[in-house]
Amino acid sequence: MSDGSERQPASARWLDCRGRRLPLDGRPLVMGVLNVTPDSFSDGGRYVMPAVALDRARSMVEAGCDIVDVGGESTRPGADPVDVATETERVVPVVEALARELDVPVSVDTRKAEVMEAAVAAGASFINDVEALRGEGSLETAARLGVPVCLMHMRGEPRTMQRAVVYEDVVADVLGFLERRVEAARRAGIPDERLVVDPGFGFGKRLEDNLALLAGLHRFSALGLPVLVGLSRKSMIGDLIGRPVDERLSASLALAVLAAERGARIVRVHDVEATVDALRVTQAILEMDEQ
Ligand code: HH2
């Protein structure tokens, strides 16, 4: 276990997804969103059939995506939870098809230990948990499954998370939370090489909180772990420019670039091709900065 002093900088590492190694020292990795839900805020209802989901995933991979994130439960503000059986039925056939057919790792976006287990058995090689392994049995399950895990900050739970939001200092609060979850993950036996952190844009945060988090994103690199961000098409963009979900590409790209500039190593997006282009040119400048 690391005491922090010998921790490698996030920029010098690989993320090992069951033998598929994702480099963390080049342009930020692009995680393509594939929601197999009827009700997700952006792509709900479009990719529920495994064949359609596979087509969508293939086109994201052709567009340059490094990892595909499959989710079977919407976590948009106000969303109702789904039961384990429903989520498993949605996710497992799609994960199975993607893991068989694609050359990139498949991530499962879930906060349930049972779904993590079933998805990894079906071929998933990354766990993306918006509850940072706080669900029953999740820590132990993720430790045993041996795949990388993203620990995300969320205040409360999706149904209620936007009610009465108040932070004293949102960056310090979210950092403190992630520090505690990283510690819990280490104690459960998950090594740093398998940990990723995410401040959780839009999860129990007001516009001003989201803006402060992005402005202070560079501070999260102090955790010594790769930082993932999900900003694509989110309501903070709608709040700023008043455009509907399908007209938020330009603003999403601006936020992806700003996040990359502030040290994000993985960017979770709906629009893969445009984001890869934006991040490639960003990376060229960042590498000049480092010289
Ligand atoms: N955002 C969403 C879902 N999962 N995971 C991480 N690590 N970070 C995020 O910011 C994040 C996430 C919400 O977006 P989406 O999946 O498009 O919508 P929905 O939750 O409605 O399915």
Side-chain angles (χ1 to χ4, degrees):
M1 203 175 290
S2 160
D3 67 359
S5 55
E6 78 279 21
R7 220 176 281 156
Q8 285 182 300
S11 60
R13 295 220 319 259
W14 300 82
L15 207 52
D16 193 336
C17 301
R18 282 173 134 182
R20 285 205 168 107
R21 289 176 136 204
L22 297 176
L24 291 163
D25 56 358
R27 90 161 149 71
L29 299 169
V30 172
M31 171 183 262
V33 178
L34 185 61
N35 285 315
V36 290
T37 58
D39 58 343
S40 286
F41 84 94
S42 169
D43 56 355
R46 289 171 66 181
Y47 310 116
V48 177
M49 303 283 292
V52 181
L54 181 58
D55 274 355
R56 169 71 181 160
R58 276 207 180 104
S59 67
M60 289 198 292
V61 173
E62 273 163 30
C65 119
D66 302 287
I67 178 165
V68 177
D69 189 37
V70 179
E73 178 191 35
S74 174
T75 47
R76 73 182 195 289
D80 284 326
V82 294
D83 60 59
V84 173
T86 306
E87 194 179 330
T88 306
E89 269 165 39
R90 287 177 185 170
V91 161
V92 164
V94 173
V95 167
E96 221 161 46
L98 267 53
R100 195 178 52 237
E101 302 288 334
L102 301 181
D103 283 334
V104 303
V106 178
S107 156
V108 61
D109 183 349
T110 186
R111 46 199 184 123
K112 298 186 187 73
E114 298 90 335
V115 179
M116 293 170 193
E117 181 102 48
V120 171
S125 54
F126 186 99
I127 293 169
N128 175 24
D129 184 0
V130 299
E131 271 187 6
L133 302 179
R134 286 177 295 155
E136 203 182 324
S138 293
L139 266 176
E140 301 72 22
T141 301
R144 179 166 44 78
L145 292 173
V147 299
V149 186
C150 177
L151 304 171
M152 196 197 80
H153 173 270
M154 169 167 55
R155 189 184 150 278
E157 45 118 10
R159 208 162 38 80
T160 56
M161 66 189 175
Q162 292 304 110
R163 287 187 204 152
V165 181
V166 185
Y167 294 94
E168 205 144 285
D169 173 343
V170 68
V171 176
D173 283 10
V174 173
L175 254 175
F177 169 91
L178 289 175
E179 250 159 25
R180 292 190 293 279
R181 295 314 301 159
V182 166
E183 256 328 297
R186 287 178 183 143
R187 277 200 305 275
I190 306 178
D192 282 17
E193 292 66 40
R194 294 213 309 263
L195 291 173
V196 171
V197 290
D198 181 345
F201 287 96
F203 286 84
K205 284 128 189 151
R206 301 161 297 178
L207 175 60
E208 65 213 78
D209 301 321
N210 290 314
L211 296 177
L213 278 173
L214 185 51
L217 194 71
H218 55 279
R219 289 172 58 190
F220 287 83
S221 300
L223 294 169
L225 299 169
V227 175
L228 185 154
V229 294
L231 292 151
S232 175
R233 301 185 186 176
K234 283 203 172 157
S235 63
M236 64 184 280
I237 297 174
D239 293 343
L240 287 169
I241 61 172
R243 289 191 187 273
V245 161
D246 57 352
E247 294 176 17
R248 296 178 186 169
L249 173 60
S250 316
S252 298
L253 296 177
L255 297 184
V257 168
L258 288 166
E261 201 264 333
R262 287 162 169 75
R265 301 308 313 152
I266 309 175
V267 180
R268 182 181 181 275
V269 301
H270 302 85
D271 302 285
V272 170
E273 188 170 23
T275 309
V276 169
D277 282 353
L279 293 177
R280 284 180 66 190
V281 296
T282 307
Q283 183 64 21
I285 305 300
L286 292 176
E287 285 175 12
M288 291 300 287
D289 280 351
E290 282 165 14
Q291 283 175 8

